[in-house]
Short mmCIF file of all heavy atoms in Angstrom, two decimals:
data_model
loop_
_atom_site.label_atom_id
_atom_site.label_comp_id
_atom_site.label_asym_id
_atom_site.label_seq_id
_atom_site.Cartn_x
_atom_site.Cartn_y
_atom_site.Cartn_z
N MET A 13 241.62 -7.81 -29.15
CA MET A 13 241.98 -7.76 -27.72
C MET A 13 241.63 -6.40 -27.11
O MET A 13 241.09 -6.31 -26.04
CB MET A 13 243.48 -8.07 -27.58
CG MET A 13 243.98 -8.06 -26.16
SD MET A 13 243.32 -9.47 -25.26
CE MET A 13 243.96 -9.15 -23.66
N ALA A 14 241.97 -5.34 -27.84
CA ALA A 14 241.71 -3.99 -27.33
C ALA A 14 240.22 -3.74 -27.15
O ALA A 14 239.80 -3.07 -26.22
CB ALA A 14 242.32 -2.95 -28.27
N LYS A 15 239.42 -4.33 -28.05
CA LYS A 15 237.97 -4.14 -27.96
C LYS A 15 237.43 -4.79 -26.67
O LYS A 15 236.58 -4.22 -25.99
CB LYS A 15 237.29 -4.74 -29.17
CG LYS A 15 235.81 -4.48 -29.21
CD LYS A 15 235.15 -5.05 -30.44
CE LYS A 15 233.67 -4.73 -30.38
NZ LYS A 15 232.92 -5.52 -31.32
N ALA A 16 237.95 -5.97 -26.35
CA ALA A 16 237.51 -6.66 -25.14
C ALA A 16 237.86 -5.84 -23.89
O ALA A 16 237.05 -5.73 -22.96
CB ALA A 16 238.13 -8.05 -25.06
N VAL A 17 239.04 -5.27 -23.88
CA VAL A 17 239.47 -4.44 -22.74
C VAL A 17 238.57 -3.20 -22.62
O VAL A 17 238.14 -2.84 -21.53
CB VAL A 17 240.95 -4.02 -22.88
CG1 VAL A 17 241.33 -2.99 -21.83
CG2 VAL A 17 241.85 -5.25 -22.79
N THR A 18 238.26 -2.59 -23.76
CA THR A 18 237.39 -1.41 -23.76
C THR A 18 236.00 -1.77 -23.24
O THR A 18 235.42 -1.05 -22.44
CB THR A 18 237.28 -0.84 -25.19
OG1 THR A 18 238.59 -0.60 -25.69
CG2 THR A 18 236.50 0.45 -25.19
N GLU A 19 235.46 -2.92 -23.69
CA GLU A 19 234.14 -3.35 -23.23
C GLU A 19 234.16 -3.66 -21.74
O GLU A 19 233.22 -3.33 -21.02
CB GLU A 19 233.69 -4.58 -24.03
CG GLU A 19 233.27 -4.25 -25.44
CD GLU A 19 232.85 -5.49 -26.22
OE1 GLU A 19 232.79 -6.58 -25.64
OE2 GLU A 19 232.60 -5.35 -27.42
N LEU A 20 235.23 -4.29 -21.30
CA LEU A 20 235.37 -4.63 -19.87
C LEU A 20 235.41 -3.35 -19.04
O LEU A 20 234.73 -3.24 -18.01
CB LEU A 20 236.64 -5.45 -19.65
CG LEU A 20 236.78 -6.12 -18.29
CD1 LEU A 20 235.68 -7.15 -18.10
CD2 LEU A 20 238.14 -6.81 -18.18
N ARG A 21 236.16 -2.36 -19.52
CA ARG A 21 236.25 -1.09 -18.80
C ARG A 21 234.88 -0.41 -18.75
O ARG A 21 234.48 0.13 -17.72
CB ARG A 21 237.28 -0.19 -19.49
CG ARG A 21 237.66 1.02 -18.65
CD ARG A 21 238.81 1.78 -19.26
NE ARG A 21 240.05 1.03 -19.15
CZ ARG A 21 241.04 1.08 -20.05
NH1 ARG A 21 240.93 1.82 -21.12
NH2 ARG A 21 242.14 0.37 -19.87
N ALA A 22 234.14 -0.46 -19.86
CA ALA A 22 232.80 0.13 -19.90
C ALA A 22 231.87 -0.59 -18.91
O ALA A 22 231.07 0.05 -18.23
CB ALA A 22 232.24 0.06 -21.31
N ASP A 23 232.00 -1.92 -18.84
CA ASP A 23 231.19 -2.68 -17.89
C ASP A 23 231.50 -2.26 -16.45
O ASP A 23 230.60 -2.11 -15.63
CB ASP A 23 231.44 -4.19 -18.03
CG ASP A 23 230.75 -4.77 -19.26
OD1 ASP A 23 229.87 -4.07 -19.84
OD2 ASP A 23 231.07 -5.90 -19.64
N PHE A 24 232.78 -2.09 -16.15
CA PHE A 24 233.16 -1.67 -14.79
C PHE A 24 232.61 -0.28 -14.47
O PHE A 24 232.14 -0.03 -13.37
CB PHE A 24 234.67 -1.69 -14.61
CG PHE A 24 235.19 -3.04 -14.19
CD1 PHE A 24 236.09 -3.73 -14.99
CD2 PHE A 24 234.77 -3.63 -13.01
CE1 PHE A 24 236.56 -4.98 -14.62
CE2 PHE A 24 235.23 -4.88 -12.63
CZ PHE A 24 236.13 -5.56 -13.44
N GLN A 25 232.66 0.62 -15.45
CA GLN A 25 232.13 1.97 -15.23
C GLN A 25 230.62 1.90 -14.99
O GLN A 25 230.09 2.58 -14.11
CB GLN A 25 232.44 2.87 -16.42
CG GLN A 25 233.89 3.27 -16.49
CD GLN A 25 234.22 4.04 -17.75
OE1 GLN A 25 233.47 4.01 -18.72
NE2 GLN A 25 235.36 4.71 -17.75
N HIS A 26 229.95 1.04 -15.74
CA HIS A 26 228.51 0.86 -15.56
C HIS A 26 228.21 0.32 -14.16
O HIS A 26 227.31 0.80 -13.47
CB HIS A 26 227.98 -0.10 -16.63
CG HIS A 26 226.53 -0.40 -16.49
ND1 HIS A 26 225.54 0.52 -16.78
CD2 HIS A 26 225.89 -1.51 -16.05
CE1 HIS A 26 224.37 -0.01 -16.53
NE2 HIS A 26 224.54 -1.25 -16.09
N LEU A 27 228.99 -0.66 -13.73
CA LEU A 27 228.80 -1.24 -12.39
C LEU A 27 229.04 -0.20 -11.30
O LEU A 27 228.31 -0.15 -10.31
CB LEU A 27 229.76 -2.42 -12.17
CG LEU A 27 229.31 -3.74 -12.77
CD1 LEU A 27 230.42 -4.78 -12.66
CD2 LEU A 27 228.05 -4.26 -12.09
N ARG A 28 230.06 0.63 -11.50
CA ARG A 28 230.35 1.68 -10.51
C ARG A 28 229.19 2.66 -10.40
O ARG A 28 228.78 3.03 -9.31
CB ARG A 28 231.62 2.45 -10.90
CG ARG A 28 232.80 2.04 -10.07
CD ARG A 28 233.98 2.98 -10.29
NE ARG A 28 235.15 2.17 -10.59
CZ ARG A 28 235.80 2.17 -11.74
NH1 ARG A 28 235.44 2.96 -12.72
NH2 ARG A 28 236.83 1.40 -11.91
N ARG A 29 228.64 3.08 -11.56
CA ARG A 29 227.49 4.00 -11.55
C ARG A 29 226.30 3.34 -10.88
O ARG A 29 225.59 3.97 -10.09
CB ARG A 29 227.12 4.41 -12.98
CG ARG A 29 228.02 5.50 -13.53
CD ARG A 29 227.40 6.17 -14.75
NE ARG A 29 227.19 5.23 -15.85
CZ ARG A 29 228.09 4.97 -16.80
NH1 ARG A 29 229.26 5.60 -16.78
NH2 ARG A 29 227.82 4.12 -17.75
N TRP A 30 226.06 2.06 -11.17
CA TRP A 30 224.94 1.33 -10.58
C TRP A 30 225.10 1.26 -9.06
O TRP A 30 224.16 1.49 -8.32
CB TRP A 30 224.86 -0.07 -11.19
CG TRP A 30 223.74 -0.89 -10.63
CD1 TRP A 30 222.42 -0.81 -10.97
CD2 TRP A 30 223.83 -1.90 -9.63
NE1 TRP A 30 221.70 -1.71 -10.25
CE2 TRP A 30 222.52 -2.39 -9.41
CE3 TRP A 30 224.89 -2.44 -8.89
CZ2 TRP A 30 222.25 -3.39 -8.49
CZ3 TRP A 30 224.61 -3.44 -7.97
CH2 TRP A 30 223.32 -3.90 -7.77
N ARG A 31 226.32 0.94 -8.62
CA ARG A 31 226.57 0.84 -7.17
C ARG A 31 226.35 2.18 -6.49
O ARG A 31 225.77 2.24 -5.41
CB ARG A 31 228.00 0.34 -6.91
CG ARG A 31 228.16 -0.24 -5.52
CD ARG A 31 229.58 -0.66 -5.23
NE ARG A 31 230.35 0.53 -4.93
CZ ARG A 31 231.64 0.66 -5.19
NH1 ARG A 31 232.30 -0.29 -5.79
NH2 ARG A 31 232.27 1.77 -4.87
N LYS A 32 226.78 3.26 -7.14
CA LYS A 32 226.57 4.60 -6.57
C LYS A 32 225.09 4.90 -6.42
O LYS A 32 224.64 5.42 -5.41
CB LYS A 32 227.22 5.66 -7.47
CG LYS A 32 228.49 6.23 -6.92
CD LYS A 32 228.97 7.38 -7.80
CE LYS A 32 230.45 7.58 -7.59
NZ LYS A 32 231.05 8.43 -8.60
N SER A 33 224.30 4.55 -7.45
CA SER A 33 222.87 4.83 -7.39
C SER A 33 222.20 3.98 -6.31
O SER A 33 221.30 4.44 -5.62
CB SER A 33 222.21 4.62 -8.75
OG SER A 33 222.26 3.27 -9.13
N VAL A 34 222.67 2.74 -6.14
CA VAL A 34 222.12 1.88 -5.08
C VAL A 34 222.48 2.47 -3.71
O VAL A 34 221.63 2.52 -2.82
CB VAL A 34 222.67 0.44 -5.21
CG1 VAL A 34 222.36 -0.37 -3.96
CG2 VAL A 34 222.08 -0.23 -6.43
N GLU A 35 223.71 2.92 -3.55
CA GLU A 35 224.13 3.51 -2.27
C GLU A 35 223.32 4.76 -1.96
O GLU A 35 222.92 4.99 -0.82
CB GLU A 35 225.62 3.84 -2.29
CG GLU A 35 226.50 2.61 -2.19
CD GLU A 35 227.98 2.91 -2.42
OE1 GLU A 35 228.31 4.05 -2.76
OE2 GLU A 35 228.79 1.98 -2.26
N GLN A 36 223.03 5.58 -2.99
CA GLN A 36 222.22 6.78 -2.77
C GLN A 36 220.80 6.40 -2.37
O GLN A 36 220.22 7.02 -1.49
CB GLN A 36 222.20 7.64 -4.04
CG GLN A 36 223.50 8.35 -4.28
CD GLN A 36 223.56 9.04 -5.63
OE1 GLN A 36 222.75 8.77 -6.50
NE2 GLN A 36 224.54 9.91 -5.82
N ALA A 37 220.26 5.36 -2.99
CA ALA A 37 218.91 4.91 -2.65
C ALA A 37 218.88 4.39 -1.22
O ALA A 37 217.94 4.66 -0.47
CB ALA A 37 218.46 3.82 -3.63
N GLN A 38 219.92 3.64 -0.82
CA GLN A 38 219.98 3.13 0.55
C GLN A 38 220.07 4.28 1.54
O GLN A 38 219.42 4.26 2.58
CB GLN A 38 221.19 2.19 0.72
CG GLN A 38 221.01 0.84 0.07
CD GLN A 38 222.26 0.00 0.14
OE1 GLN A 38 223.37 0.51 0.29
NE2 GLN A 38 222.10 -1.30 0.01
N SER A 39 220.87 5.28 1.21
CA SER A 39 221.02 6.44 2.08
C SER A 39 219.68 7.16 2.23
O SER A 39 219.29 7.54 3.33
CB SER A 39 222.07 7.39 1.49
OG SER A 39 222.11 8.59 2.23
N TYR A 40 218.96 7.32 1.11
CA TYR A 40 217.66 7.99 1.15
C TYR A 40 216.67 7.19 1.99
O TYR A 40 215.94 7.74 2.81
CB TYR A 40 217.13 8.17 -0.28
CG TYR A 40 215.76 8.79 -0.30
CD1 TYR A 40 215.59 10.14 -0.06
CD2 TYR A 40 214.62 8.01 -0.53
CE1 TYR A 40 214.33 10.72 -0.06
CE2 TYR A 40 213.37 8.58 -0.53
CZ TYR A 40 213.23 9.93 -0.29
OH TYR A 40 211.99 10.49 -0.28
N THR A 41 216.67 5.85 1.79
CA THR A 41 215.76 4.99 2.56
C THR A 41 216.07 5.08 4.04
O THR A 41 215.17 5.18 4.87
CB THR A 41 215.90 3.52 2.08
OG1 THR A 41 215.65 3.48 0.67
CG2 THR A 41 214.93 2.61 2.79
N PHE A 42 217.36 5.08 4.39
CA PHE A 42 217.77 5.17 5.79
C PHE A 42 217.29 6.49 6.40
O PHE A 42 216.72 6.51 7.49
CB PHE A 42 219.29 5.05 5.87
CG PHE A 42 219.83 5.12 7.27
CD1 PHE A 42 219.65 4.07 8.14
CD2 PHE A 42 220.51 6.25 7.71
CE1 PHE A 42 220.13 4.14 9.44
CE2 PHE A 42 221.00 6.32 8.99
CZ PHE A 42 220.81 5.26 9.87
N LYS A 43 217.48 7.58 5.67
CA LYS A 43 217.05 8.90 6.17
C LYS A 43 215.54 8.94 6.34
O LYS A 43 215.03 9.50 7.32
CB LYS A 43 217.50 10.01 5.21
CG LYS A 43 218.99 10.28 5.26
CD LYS A 43 219.38 11.31 4.22
CE LYS A 43 220.89 11.43 4.13
NZ LYS A 43 221.31 12.21 2.98
N ALA A 44 214.82 8.35 5.39
CA ALA A 44 213.36 8.33 5.47
C ALA A 44 212.91 7.53 6.69
O ALA A 44 212.00 7.94 7.41
CB ALA A 44 212.76 7.74 4.19
N MET A 45 213.55 6.39 6.93
CA MET A 45 213.19 5.55 8.09
C MET A 45 213.45 6.30 9.39
O MET A 45 212.63 6.27 10.31
CB MET A 45 213.98 4.24 8.08
CG MET A 45 213.53 3.27 7.02
SD MET A 45 211.83 2.71 7.27
CE MET A 45 211.98 1.84 8.81
N ILE A 46 214.61 6.96 9.49
CA ILE A 46 214.93 7.72 10.70
C ILE A 46 213.89 8.82 10.91
O ILE A 46 213.42 9.05 12.02
CB ILE A 46 216.35 8.33 10.59
CG1 ILE A 46 217.40 7.22 10.59
CG2 ILE A 46 216.61 9.32 11.71
CD1 ILE A 46 217.45 6.39 11.86
N THR A 47 213.50 9.50 9.81
CA THR A 47 212.49 10.56 9.91
C THR A 47 211.18 10.01 10.43
O THR A 47 210.55 10.61 11.31
CB THR A 47 212.29 11.22 8.53
OG1 THR A 47 213.56 11.72 8.07
CG2 THR A 47 211.29 12.35 8.60
N VAL A 48 210.75 8.87 9.91
CA VAL A 48 209.49 8.26 10.35
C VAL A 48 209.58 7.89 11.83
O VAL A 48 208.65 8.16 12.60
CB VAL A 48 209.17 7.00 9.49
CG1 VAL A 48 208.06 6.18 10.12
CG2 VAL A 48 208.80 7.43 8.08
N ILE A 49 210.69 7.29 12.24
CA ILE A 49 210.85 6.87 13.65
C ILE A 49 210.84 8.09 14.57
O ILE A 49 210.14 8.11 15.58
CB ILE A 49 212.15 6.05 13.81
CG1 ILE A 49 211.99 4.70 13.10
CG2 ILE A 49 212.49 5.86 15.29
CD1 ILE A 49 213.27 3.92 12.94
N VAL A 50 211.62 9.11 14.21
CA VAL A 50 211.70 10.32 15.05
C VAL A 50 210.33 11.01 15.10
O VAL A 50 209.88 11.43 16.18
CB VAL A 50 212.79 11.28 14.51
CG1 VAL A 50 212.69 12.64 15.18
CG2 VAL A 50 214.16 10.67 14.72
N THR A 51 209.66 11.11 13.97
CA THR A 51 208.34 11.74 13.94
C THR A 51 207.36 10.99 14.83
O THR A 51 206.60 11.59 15.59
CB THR A 51 207.80 11.80 12.49
OG1 THR A 51 208.76 12.48 11.69
CG2 THR A 51 206.48 12.53 12.43
N GLY A 52 207.38 9.66 14.75
CA GLY A 52 206.51 8.84 15.59
C GLY A 52 206.81 9.03 17.06
O GLY A 52 205.90 9.15 17.89
N PHE A 53 208.09 9.08 17.39
CA PHE A 53 208.50 9.25 18.79
C PHE A 53 208.05 10.61 19.32
O PHE A 53 207.48 10.71 20.41
CB PHE A 53 210.02 9.11 18.90
CG PHE A 53 210.53 9.24 20.31
CD1 PHE A 53 210.31 8.22 21.22
CD2 PHE A 53 211.22 10.36 20.72
CE1 PHE A 53 210.77 8.33 22.52
CE2 PHE A 53 211.67 10.49 22.01
CZ PHE A 53 211.45 9.46 22.92
N VAL A 54 208.27 11.65 18.53
CA VAL A 54 207.87 13.00 18.94
C VAL A 54 206.35 13.07 19.09
O VAL A 54 205.84 13.66 20.06
CB VAL A 54 208.38 14.06 17.93
CG1 VAL A 54 207.74 15.42 18.18
CG2 VAL A 54 209.90 14.17 17.99
N GLY A 55 205.63 12.43 18.17
CA GLY A 55 204.18 12.39 18.26
C GLY A 55 203.71 11.70 19.52
O GLY A 55 202.78 12.16 20.20
N ALA A 56 204.36 10.59 19.86
CA ALA A 56 203.99 9.85 21.07
C ALA A 56 204.27 10.69 22.32
O ALA A 56 203.45 10.73 23.25
CB ALA A 56 204.76 8.53 21.13
N VAL A 57 205.40 11.37 22.34
CA VAL A 57 205.73 12.23 23.48
C VAL A 57 204.70 13.36 23.59
O VAL A 57 204.22 13.67 24.68
CB VAL A 57 207.16 12.81 23.34
CG1 VAL A 57 207.41 13.91 24.37
CG2 VAL A 57 208.19 11.69 23.49
N TRP A 58 204.33 13.95 22.46
CA TRP A 58 203.36 15.04 22.46
C TRP A 58 202.01 14.56 22.99
O TRP A 58 201.36 15.26 23.80
CB TRP A 58 203.23 15.64 21.07
CG TRP A 58 202.16 16.68 20.97
CD1 TRP A 58 201.06 16.63 20.19
CD2 TRP A 58 202.09 17.92 21.68
NE1 TRP A 58 200.31 17.77 20.37
CE2 TRP A 58 200.92 18.58 21.28
CE3 TRP A 58 202.91 18.54 22.62
CZ2 TRP A 58 200.54 19.81 21.78
CZ3 TRP A 58 202.54 19.77 23.12
CH2 TRP A 58 201.36 20.40 22.71
N LEU A 59 201.58 13.38 22.56
CA LEU A 59 200.31 12.83 23.07
C LEU A 59 200.40 12.60 24.58
O LEU A 59 199.45 12.87 25.31
CB LEU A 59 199.97 11.52 22.36
CG LEU A 59 199.43 11.66 20.94
CD1 LEU A 59 199.26 10.29 20.30
CD2 LEU A 59 198.11 12.41 20.94
N GLY A 60 201.56 12.11 25.02
CA GLY A 60 201.76 11.90 26.47
C GLY A 60 201.69 13.21 27.22
O GLY A 60 201.05 13.29 28.29
N VAL A 61 202.26 14.26 26.69
CA VAL A 61 202.23 15.57 27.34
C VAL A 61 200.80 16.08 27.37
O VAL A 61 200.34 16.61 28.40
CB VAL A 61 203.16 16.56 26.57
CG1 VAL A 61 202.91 18.00 27.03
CG2 VAL A 61 204.62 16.18 26.77
N LYS A 62 200.06 15.91 26.27
CA LYS A 62 198.67 16.36 26.24
C LYS A 62 197.83 15.64 27.29
O LYS A 62 197.00 16.25 27.98
CB LYS A 62 198.07 16.13 24.84
CG LYS A 62 198.41 17.24 23.86
CD LYS A 62 197.83 16.98 22.48
CE LYS A 62 196.30 17.02 22.52
NZ LYS A 62 195.72 16.92 21.18
N VAL A 63 198.06 14.33 27.43
CA VAL A 63 197.31 13.55 28.42
C VAL A 63 197.66 14.04 29.83
O VAL A 63 196.77 14.23 30.67
CB VAL A 63 197.62 12.05 28.27
CG1 VAL A 63 197.11 11.26 29.47
CG2 VAL A 63 197.00 11.52 26.98
N MET A 64 198.94 14.29 30.08
CA MET A 64 199.38 14.74 31.41
C MET A 64 198.80 16.12 31.72
O MET A 64 198.37 16.38 32.85
CB MET A 64 200.90 14.80 31.49
CG MET A 64 201.58 13.46 31.46
SD MET A 64 201.11 12.37 32.81
CE MET A 64 202.00 13.12 34.15
N LEU A 65 198.78 17.01 30.73
CA LEU A 65 198.25 18.34 30.95
C LEU A 65 196.72 18.32 31.10
O LEU A 65 196.15 19.16 31.79
CB LEU A 65 198.64 19.27 29.79
CG LEU A 65 200.12 19.63 29.71
CD1 LEU A 65 200.39 20.48 28.47
CD2 LEU A 65 200.58 20.37 30.95
N GLY A 66 196.08 17.35 30.44
CA GLY A 66 194.65 17.25 30.51
C GLY A 66 194.13 16.79 31.87
O GLY A 66 193.01 17.05 32.23
N LYS A 67 194.99 16.12 32.63
CA LYS A 67 194.55 15.57 33.94
C LYS A 67 194.50 16.61 35.01
O LYS A 67 194.92 17.62 35.15
CB LYS A 67 195.49 14.45 34.40
CG LYS A 67 195.24 13.19 33.61
CD LYS A 67 196.06 12.06 34.17
CE LYS A 67 195.72 10.77 33.45
NZ LYS A 67 196.47 9.66 33.90
#
């Protein structure tokens, strides 16, 4: 019985670590997406400014 409880506890610890790593990956992906969107927006604004100044 004690062995089953120990194994169950180890499984839960493994799941917790896995969930943490997934959450970190999601956080990183979210930050990367925001960076891409902001960079694209700033680039578009800069191109617009260049066009306006060029006229």
